[in-house]
């Protein structure tokens, strides 16, 4: 992408990004705090995979559109256990499993609601940042083992958000290595500012908000 992005439509921007990342990588359009017109434009351009940070906002954006064929909704923000029922009911994929307590809540939520269990990714705190969500690298094997044993759906991969003040490549490389070590097919990494590096490092899913839609609303 060059810096003419603002003059392009969402459809044109999307086409350019898809050409750049190739077929092996899935573009997750991060629609948090984007207007309904922009969501509609992305859908009209053929985009079907969307990421949202918050359960309630995602319901506002997507509940009435849930029947669109091939629509895939991915939760990419932290999840509180008291929102587990709503999350398993709306999302096809939850990328932010990061603790056993949440896994237990999600299992109960699937039992209670009877929905098809979403696929899971485990969020890894690759930078070991105290304020950031994600399981620590040392606790990943135990959480993964428990998820594989007890989750009624698929455990597909890992997700990370590198520390803002560090070069992201090392974190992307580490996440990919961990996914490979554990025979997990998916690595969700890379956002608007660093997705090219993430693709080079083997991302299977990149999560783009502003690079696709433009600036978010406040
Ligand atoms: C908001 C968000 C994104 C998208 O960020 P951009 O910089 O706008 O691409 C990606 N991943 C997560 C987890 C986010 O919260």
């Amino acid at each position: 992408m060059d810096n003419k992005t603002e003059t392009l439509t969402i459809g044109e921007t999307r086409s350019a990004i898809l050409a750049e990342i190739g077929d092996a990588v899935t573009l997750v359009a991060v629609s948090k705090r984007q207007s309904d017109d922009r969501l509609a434009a992305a859908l009209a351009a053929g985009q079907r995979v969307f990421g949202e940070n918050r359960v309630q906002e995602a319901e506002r954006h997507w509940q009435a559109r849930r029947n669109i064929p091939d629509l895939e909704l991915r939760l990419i923000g932290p999840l509180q256990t008291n929102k587990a029922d709503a999350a398993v009911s709306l999302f096809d994929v939850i990328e932010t499993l990061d603790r056993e307590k949440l896994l237990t809540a999600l299992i109960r939520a699937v039992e209670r609601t009877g929905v098809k269990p979403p696929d899971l990714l485990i969020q890894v705190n690759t930078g070991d940042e105290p304020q950031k969500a994600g399981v620590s690298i040392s606790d990943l094997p135990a959480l993964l083992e428990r998820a594989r044993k007890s989750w009624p759906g698929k455990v597909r991969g890992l997700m990370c958000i590198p520390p803002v003040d560090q070069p992201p490549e090392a974190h992307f490389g580490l996440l990919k290595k961990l996914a490979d070590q554990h025979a997990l097919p998916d690595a969700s990494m890379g956002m608007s500012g660093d997705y090219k590096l993430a693709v080079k490092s083997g991302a299977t899913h990149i999560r783009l908000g502003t690079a696709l839609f433009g600036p978010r609303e406040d």
Side-chain angles (χ1 to χ4, degrees):
M1 296 297 300
D2 53 34
N3 50 20
K4 288 184 298 189
T5 311
E6 278 177 57
T7 63
L8 300 178
T9 66
I10 287 172
E12 288 165 342
T13 305
R14 174 176 179 271
S15 297
I17 293 169
L18 291 180
E20 194 177 19
I21 65 177
D23 291 341
V25 182
T26 299
L27 168 60
V28 180
V30 177
S31 44
K32 70 179 183 206
R33 285 159 46 214
Q34 296 289 352
S35 70
D36 212 62
D37 287 352
R38 287 181 176 178
L39 269 58
L43 283 163
Q47 182 67 31
R48 288 295 178 271
V49 183
F50 292 86
E52 288 279 355
N53 264 58
R54 293 164 178 273
V55 176
Q56 271 168 329
E57 185 187 13
E59 286 174 339
R60 270 204 314 282
H61 281 167
W62 297 106
Q63 221 146 38
R65 296 180 162 120
R66 208 37 286 216
N67 291 332
I68 294 172
D70 302 324
L71 185 69
E72 179 178 300
L73 299 182
R74 306 174 67 98
L75 178 65
I76 62 170
L79 180 60
Q80 292 164 351
T81 52
N82 63 2
K83 304 250 172 69
D85 283 16
V88 299
S89 302
L90 184 68
F91 290 101
D92 302 288
V93 182
I94 294 176
E95 295 201 8
T96 50
L97 174 65
D98 65 354
R99 57 202 191 277
E100 299 221 350
K101 191 174 159 226
L102 179 58
L103 177 63
T104 304
L106 290 170
I107 293 166
R108 291 212 184 108
V110 166
E111 287 167 1
R112 244 190 327 262
T113 57
V115 297
K116 177 173 180 279
D119 290 353
L120 294 182
L121 271 61
I122 295 179
Q123 183 176 353
V124 184
N125 188 354
T126 57
D128 216 5
E129 296 171 281
Q131 84 287 4
K132 191 166 274 177
V135 68
S136 66
I137 291 166
S138 55
D139 289 341
L140 170 63
L143 180 60
L144 177 61
E145 192 189 342
R146 244 212 88 203
R148 280 180 155 154
K149 278 201 184 123
S150 57
W151 181 242
K154 293 186 185 123
V155 183
R156 290 204 51 95
L158 304 178
M159 176 272 213
C160 77
I161 307 171
V164 286
D165 58 350
Q166 290 176 28
E169 295 95 315
H171 297 273
F172 295 154
L174 175 59
L175 193 78
K176 186 68 179 174
K177 192 178 93 184
L178 290 168
D180 288 347
Q181 271 173 5
H182 292 288
L184 290 162
D186 291 359
S188 171
M189 53 192 198
M191 308 185 3
S192 290
D194 55 19
Y195 70 92
K196 290 173 207 189
L197 292 168
V199 169
K200 272 196 200 138
S201 304
T204 61
H205 294 73
I206 57 169
R207 308 178 307 266
L208 302 191
T210 50
L212 176 65
F213 290 107
R216 281 183 278 276
E217 298 172 338
D218 293 317

